[in-house]
């Protein structure tokens, strides 16, 4: 299991620009709504998560030492765990997971972006 990050710590990191946030939802969901500044690496369908990560990570995550936070919809969603684990296998050294996902973020009244 990936190390976790709290909503408050994530919010502070986004505000400070010290984190690279990765939305692991399918592209259509990402386009509709994502955390501010997030990039997209789809982790669904699950059997394609490794392939999508291998394909997209070099472009959207060029720095393997960056502080990376992956997230998906909510606690039961597996996308972020699959993408995060694959990032670690690809040599990314600082990957954490926002386990509660975008549902928690929105439920706290925090801003999202689209497009």
């Amino acid at each position: 299991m990936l190390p976790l990050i709290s909503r408050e710590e994530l919010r502070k990191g986004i505000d400070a620009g010290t984190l690279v946030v990765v939305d692991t939802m399918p592209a259509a969901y990402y386009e509709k709504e994502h955390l501010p500044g997030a990039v997209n690496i789809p982790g669904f369908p699950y059997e394609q998560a490794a392939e999508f990560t291998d394909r997209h990570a070099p472009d959207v995550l060029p720095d393997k030492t960056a502080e990376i936070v992956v997230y998906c919809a909510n606690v039961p969603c597996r996308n972020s765990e699959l993408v995060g684990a694959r990032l670690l296998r690809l040599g990314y050294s600082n990957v954490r997971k926002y386990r509660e996902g975008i549902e928690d973020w929105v439920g706290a009244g925090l801003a999202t972006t689209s497009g």
Side-chain angles (χ1 to χ4, degrees):
M1 186 170 166
L2 297 170
L4 303 178
I5 187 171
S6 70
R7 178 188 339 119
E8 185 59 23
E9 189 179 1
L10 176 58
R11 186 191 61 75
K12 287 178 181 177
I14 289 172
D15 290 349
T18 58
L19 301 173
V20 179
V21 181
V22 179
D23 181 301
T24 63
M25 301 295 287
Y29 289 88
Y30 171 80
E31 290 294 323
K32 181 180 174 190
E33 181 177 48
H34 55 269
L35 272 58
V39 297
N40 183 231
I41 297 178
F44 189 85
Y46 299 136
E47 61 274 0
Q48 291 182 282
E51 174 190 337
F52 291 153
T53 304
D54 291 354
R55 184 182 325 147
H56 295 290
D59 293 328
V60 299
L61 302 170
D63 181 359
K64 289 190 174 187
T65 65
E67 289 187 65
I68 297 169
V69 175
V70 293
Y71 75 91
C72 55
N74 50 33
V75 174
C77 182
R78 295 177 43 212
N79 301 5
S80 58
E81 188 70 30
L82 295 170
V83 170
R86 186 64 179 187
L87 289 172
L88 290 174
R89 282 196 275 300
L90 292 173
Y92 291 85
S93 59
N94 192 357
V95 181
R96 292 187 285 171
K97 180 170 85 168
Y98 176 38
R99 176 179 52 199
E100 295 79 11
I102 196 167
E103 285 182 9
D104 176 71
W105 187 267
V106 170
L110 297 170
T112 59
T113 57
S114 61

